[in-house]
Amino acid sequence: MQKMKKETAKKVKDKVISWETHLNKKYGVHGTASRSEFEMKAQTFILGELLKEEREKANLTQAEMAEKTGTKKSYISRIENGKADIQLSTLYRLIEQGLNRKLELTIH
């Protein structure tokens, strides 16, 4: 058993690569269509998780959030699960009306 752990650790150690190298291999370099699609999906996922976390902090259900913002519960669910595109106007409504917070955008 001990020998097996050492062999596994050595194999893993020999194959460690950077996150950027992994992304380049799997999705292509920055600017390629496949990389851009991956990055867009990743940002959609992050936004959904952020909205869910903030909604839960505000002690709101998806139905309550939908009612406050004039959307549907199923749409809130799809956003939180990274399965829906969201318009900027809707994002503002969710943050400002639904969560009673301010949204600021930054371009890098």
Side-chain angles (χ1 to χ4, degrees):
M1 185 73 158
Q2 197 78 348
K3 184 178 179 182
M4 184 186 222
K5 285 182 182 180
K6 285 181 183 179
E7 288 176 10
T8 304
K10 184 175 187 229
K11 287 179 185 176
V12 170
K13 183 180 176 184
D14 292 345
K15 295 190 180 203
V16 173
I17 60 172
S18 72
W19 179 244
E20 187 67 24
T21 300
H22 170 73
L23 292 178
N24 288 343
K25 282 183 176 182
K26 186 156 183 151
Y27 301 105
V29 297
H30 285 284
T32 61
S34 59
R35 180 68 173 264
S36 294
E37 182 180 351
F38 165 77
E39 289 173 349
M40 182 184 68
K41 287 180 180 180
Q43 290 301 316
T44 300
F45 173 79
I46 290 167
L47 178 61
E49 286 295 311
L50 178 63
L51 285 171
K52 180 180 179 180
E53 183 178 304
E54 292 301 317
R55 177 184 58 76
E56 289 173 345
K57 282 182 188 175
N59 292 316
L60 293 171
T61 65
Q62 289 177 343
E64 291 168 334
M65 176 82 133
E67 187 175 322
K68 286 180 80 171
T69 58
T71 59
K72 295 184 178 187
K73 178 193 173 295
S74 61
Y75 184 56
I76 302 294
S77 175
R78 288 194 332 267
I79 292 169
E80 290 182 358
N81 289 299
K83 303 293 183 193
D85 286 334
I86 184 170
Q87 292 184 352
L88 188 56
S89 59
T90 304
L91 180 60
Y92 270 101
R93 251 189 3 256
L94 292 173
I95 301 298
E96 295 188 359
Q97 292 176 0
L99 299 173
N100 201 26
R101 306 275 302 272
K102 277 302 223 189
L103 176 65
E104 294 180 9
L105 299 175
T106 303
I107 298 175
H108 295 275

